[in-house]
Every structure is written in structure tokens, then in C-alpha cells.
Amino acid sequence: DAGVTQSPTHLIKTRGQHVTLRCSPISGHKSVSWYQQVLGQGPQFIFQYYEKEERGRGNFPDRFSARQFPNYSSELNVNALLLGDSALYLCASSLDPGQGAYGYTFGSGTRLTVV
Amino acid sequence: GENVEQHPSTLSVQEGDSAVIKCTYSDSASNYFPWYKQELGKRPQLIIDIRSNVGEKKDQRIAVTLNKTAKHFSLHITETQPEDSAVYFCAAQSPGTYKYIFGTGTRLKVLA
């Protein structure tokens, strides 16, 4: 079982640049959620997608966007990077967390550093 | 807005002792409460969860209790071992939403 895979594992970008992070969910899982985890804090919800549709959006600026593909993989895009965007970006896979909840399975994350 | 408070932020216990981590949530409609363990540099892993129609759940040395009236839930680890050392996060989910609200984490150190 492949688990949740994220790429890249580490990334260094300059302020103002754009970044794309990728996630492949567990086989059979149709929902992907994105979380931002700043060092020393709990994960903060960014987006959730289910069956290629956005199901939820957290309190993040429009610089953050995402999409889900027919194979249920997902991309998180961040434009005009700021120093404060430096964080661990976690992708979580689940069957359908809107249906009375199933625990997420998290990927290992992408560590983004903005300099 | 929705909020989950978690205490303590750090906890040191002797090996073999018990550890208790407490969380309080603000949305009385929350109905699902998972706990995650995150080791340094690794992904959060689900260790136990509880739904609002249950007051307690156990899995070997780990248990979670829920008090809906007080909007409070706790993680109990008995007979702690050095490999239990990690950061633990609680979370709450409300029906009709698709996000978890996470607590700020508890760094547990089990001293050998």
C-alpha cells in the first residue's frame, strides 16, 4: 500500500515566486485536504477537495489555490510567496471526511522555505 | 470562531508513569475528535479517535475520554515508554464542515 505521497519533500523559494506542491492520495481515497503547519503549531486547514470539487476553504488569502485531478491527485499552488509562507505543507487523504468523519492519513509533507 | 485549546504545551513523565493531555473545543456541534502523534521530522499519525456518541475509547495503553457537556476531551497514555516521546495534537471536526481544528500540540518527553 503506497500511502499518501507528496512532492517535493523540501523546497527553497525566493519571496515573490510561485510554488506548486503535489499530492497523491491512498488508492481508493477520493478526498484530499491540505494543511499548513508552521513550526511549533498545529496544522491549519487550507483546502479540501472531494471528487474534484472544492468542499472547504480555510482562512488563507487568494494567493493560495488548489485543484484535484480525475485520478484524485491534487496540487496546491501559492503565488507571490511571503516569508510567512515558510512551513510544512501537509496533504491528508481520506475516504470522505464529510460523512461522519474518517481519520485522515497524512503524507510526510513538503517543507517550504521562503527566503 | 472555532477553537481548540490544548494543555499542557510540554509534559515530562518518568518511564512507566501515566500521561494525560487535555483539550477543550468551542463548537458544541463538534462530533469527531481524533488524536495525532507527530515524531520529529515525520508526518502526524492517527493514534486514536472518538465520536460524540461515545464517552470513552481504549486501545491498549491509550485511551480517550469525552465530556460533551464540558466540551472537553482527554488523551490518557498508561505505562509510558521512551518511544511515546513525540508531539501530540488533538483535533475537532464539526458536522457539515470538512476541516479539522487542531490544538497547538503537547510535547511529551518520557524520561528513561
Side-chain angles (χ1 to χ4, degrees):
Chain A
D1 186 4
V4 181
T5 58
Q6 290 188 244
S7 63
T9 55
H10 295 84
L11 201 53
I12 299 175
K13 289 286 190 178
T14 304
R15 279 177 294 175
Q17 285 189 313
H18 163 90
V19 68
T20 298
L21 310 181
R22 296 178 174 84
C23 172
S24 293
I26 291 172
S27 178
H29 284 193
K30 299 181 178 180
S31 179
V32 169
S33 300
W34 287 95
Y35 283 78
Q36 180 196 65
Q37 187 177 24
V38 173
L39 194 62
Q41 297 182 19
Q44 298 290 315
F45 176 75
I46 310 175
F47 288 107
Q48 188 185 96
Y49 278 78
Y50 176 70
E51 291 279 18
K52 302 180 290 296
E53 291 190 1
E54 183 183 299
R55 286 264 288 258
R57 174 185 285 254
N59 189 24
F60 280 80
D62 292 343
R63 299 184 296 107
F64 289 76
S65 64
R67 54 179 176 168
Q68 186 176 34
F69 299 99
N71 66 354
Y72 303 111
S73 66
S74 178
E75 283 183 353
L76 175 69
N77 295 284
V78 187
N79 292 324
L81 285 167
L82 303 174
L83 295 179
D85 295 331
S86 296
L88 179 67
Y89 288 84
L90 294 163
C91 172
S93 165
S94 58
L95 286 168
D96 179 6
Q99 296 293 327
Y102 298 89
Y104 288 147
T105 299
F106 281 99
S108 297
T110 294
R111 173 74 60 189
L112 172 65
T113 302
V114 182
V115 297
Chain B
E2 302 148 318
N3 185 47
V4 174
E5 294 186 358
Q6 184 171 348
H7 300 281
S9 56
T10 60
L11 179 60
S12 293
V13 299
Q14 290 292 326
E15 183 178 359
D17 287 350
S18 294
V20 180
I21 302 170
K22 300 180 179 182
C23 289
T24 303
Y25 57 97
S26 61
D27 185 355
S28 57
S30 296
N31 64 351
Y32 177 66
F33 308 92
W35 285 88
Y36 284 83
K37 175 184 179 182
Q38 187 173 30
E39 297 178 60
L40 188 63
K42 296 190 177 181
R43 63 186 178 92
Q45 291 191 290
L46 179 68
I47 57 171
I48 196 167
D49 56 10
I50 192 168
R51 300 184 185 183
S52 58
N53 59 346
V54 176
E56 183 176 4
K57 183 177 179 180
K58 289 184 179 179
D59 183 3
Q60 300 182 351
R61 297 186 297 109
I62 294 173
V64 56
T65 59
L66 172 65
N67 181 331
K68 287 192 295 183
T69 302
K71 294 189 287 186
H72 170 248
F73 59 114
S74 299
L75 177 71
H76 303 254
I77 306 174
T78 59
E79 302 174 15
T80 54
Q81 301 168 2
E83 52 264 38
D84 294 329
S85 296
V87 179
Y88 291 81
F89 292 98
C90 62
Q93 182 186 26
S94 302
T97 71
Y98 307 104
K99 61 183 179 182
Y100 292 176
I101 305 298
F102 281 87
T104 49
T106 296
R107 181 172 299 281
L108 174 64
K109 296 181 184 178
V110 180
L111 307 173

